[in-house]
Amino acid sequence: MMRQISRDQLAVLAGLAAPLALAAILVPFRASFPDTDAALALQLAVTGVAANGYRLAGIVAAVSAAAWFDFFLTMPYERFTITRRADIQTTVLLLAVGVAVTEIAVWGRRQHGAAARRAGYLDGINIAARAVATGSSPAALTEQVCGQLARLLSLSSCRFQPGAAGIGNPPRLLRDGRVVSAGQTWDTDHDGLPPGTDTELLAEAGGLLQGRFLLTPGTGKPLTLEQRLAAVAFADQVGAALSGGRSPLAQT
């Protein structure tokens, strides 16, 4: 069975082929319009590929466009040689603009991904808030939140212990998003949660401890501050529910 080609791989193939195909189409007309017009047409192909937001594809398209512009559309034709200074400048600009457009598209793709992740975090918090508002049992609520935490933090397991904290002095995820282990701040942005041990996340309400989540790390995937703060928000939902109070997010 053939391996499925990903969207990014298709974009790289398009980056190789699209400028070549367009340059070949323009060959019969190359004597009838300025080279700069041909370069603009090729730039459209580069922009189309770069819009995918995959850096390699955009750079491949920019290099391909510059190469085939030189080969097919500047004199001497069918040679990778440019004799006119204006054509050299146009080729360099074609490459530079293609790379710049690619970087803008990559930035846009990252921003879109970050926005989607934030929406996912908020959806999870809202689900927990609804569980609090509808009066779900403590066991059902903590189980549900454990599932949310496992997905959010890429955990191998999660469990809740009521009314317990600090037993065994494990690493702790603090309210400001830092993870402290043995008195030192752990580089969670780079290393994820401390390996080989559980990290505790306290569920509190009004400064009173209601219990703790024990977070068992999975792959050691780096965790952003947003992810860690979302985890704290989940724990706050549980703390509010177990204290008998309603979560602020659950109030109407």
Side-chain angles (χ1 to χ4, degrees):
M1 185 175 180
M2 292 182 62
R3 183 172 64 90
Q4 186 176 5
I5 299 177
S6 70
R7 185 184 72 169
D8 289 342
Q9 290 172 324
L10 285 174
V12 172
L13 293 175
L16 287 169
L20 172 59
L22 182 55
I25 292 171
L26 295 175
V27 165
F29 312 103
R30 61 191 175 190
S32 61
F33 57 80
D35 292 347
T36 51
D37 291 350
L40 287 173
L42 288 170
Q43 187 59 61
L44 288 176
V46 175
T47 301
V49 173
N52 178 66
Y54 184 44
R55 178 178 284 109
L56 177 61
I59 292 175
V60 166
V63 172
S64 177
W68 298 124
F69 174 75
D70 173 12
F71 189 79
F72 285 118
L73 302 173
T74 65
M75 294 186 293
Y77 298 129
E78 281 79 53
R79 292 176 59 188
F80 286 110
T81 302
I82 303 179
T83 57
R84 295 188 300 181
R85 180 177 179 182
D87 288 338
I88 295 174
Q89 293 174 338
T90 300
T91 302
V92 172
L93 283 173
L94 178 59
L95 179 61
V97 172
V99 172
V101 168
T102 296
E103 291 303 317
I104 293 172
V106 169
W107 178 84
R109 182 176 179 178
R110 287 176 177 170
Q111 294 303 306
H112 180 270
R117 288 191 296 273
R118 292 188 192 104
Y121 303 157
L122 291 176
D123 285 344
I125 293 171
N126 286 332
I127 289 171
R130 286 196 296 271
V132 173
T134 56
S136 296
S137 69
L141 177 62
T142 55
E143 182 179 355
Q144 184 180 66
V145 171
C146 263
Q148 296 282 355
L149 289 172
R151 287 187 290 272
L152 176 67
L153 303 177
S154 300
L155 305 177
S156 64
S157 67
C158 171
R159 64 188 188 277
F160 182 76
Q161 290 182 342
I167 300 174
N169 193 30
R172 178 178 293 179
L173 173 54
L174 303 180
R175 295 192 58 79
D176 61 5
R178 291 182 300 123
V179 172
V180 175
S181 177
Q184 301 294 322
T185 299
W186 186 263
D187 188 4
T188 320
D189 289 315
H190 184 266
D191 299 323
L193 296 176
T197 186
D198 293 333
T199 296
E200 70 176 5
L201 170 60
L202 303 185
E204 299 175 303
L208 298 177
L209 178 67
Q210 304 300 321
R212 67 173 179 171
F213 290 95
L214 292 176
L215 315 174
T216 306
T219 60
K221 182 179 178 181
L223 300 175
T224 66
L225 178 60
E226 283 184 337
Q227 288 172 290
R228 303 190 309 265
L229 291 177
V232 171
F234 284 132
D236 285 345
Q237 296 292 311
V238 173
L242 296 183
S243 70
R246 295 184 64 194
S247 162
L249 292 179
Q251 294 177 3
T252 59

